[in-house]
Amino acid sequence: FVERINMDLVNSYGNLLNRTIGMVNKYFDGVVPQYKGDLTPFDKDLRETTKETISKYEELMDDLKITDAFICVNDLVNRANKYIDETQPWALFKEGKIDELASVMSHLINVLYVASQLYRPVLVESSEKAFDQLNIAQKLRDYKNIYTFGIIGGQKLGKSEPLFPRLDENVEVEAIKAANNL
């Protein structure tokens, strides 16, 4: 349980949110670039993976396979983290490839938006905090908007703050044992 929280939420989702907001703040003065299609060789794959994730998630949720549905969202978040390694935004900036860099940031913000929507049934407060950090307008927080990839863009981001504290495994295990009289 503690490992899953630290790996899936702290390291993957929370880190993706913080890194992406940090890069948008650094490279675009905090303004999310508008979506302009797939400009890098990796954009299409990430966009299609996002679309497939939504479909698979909905199917799994309909079948009440809730754990599998959230694993599916974790896979999307992990794919987005790999996308950062593939696209190397820092290199795009250094090389002056601003259009490609804008595309990468737009894709990442839109994946974060979708992931936050999909996590929402179990991470209610954290999803709202992510939406707040991404400065998502209230009207766009409606689930139906996830079907339009690229809907998010143009807004000024706030400061990123960690969504989840890293849990100390020893402390948490002892607390669980004490709570269950083990």
Side-chain angles (χ1 to χ4, degrees), residues 161-172:
E161 297 177 16
L163 290 179
F164 311 98
R166 178 169 302 285
L167 300 179
D168 182 313
E169 188 171 346
N170 294 330
V171 170
E172 297 302 323

Side-chain angles (χ1 to χ4, degrees), residues 11-20 77 80-81 84 108 112:
N11 291 349
S12 296
Y13 177 54
N15 189 42
L16 178 64
L17 179 69
N18 289 332
R19 285 176 77 188
T20 302
V77 168
N81 277 308
I84 291 173
L108 288 170
L112 280 161

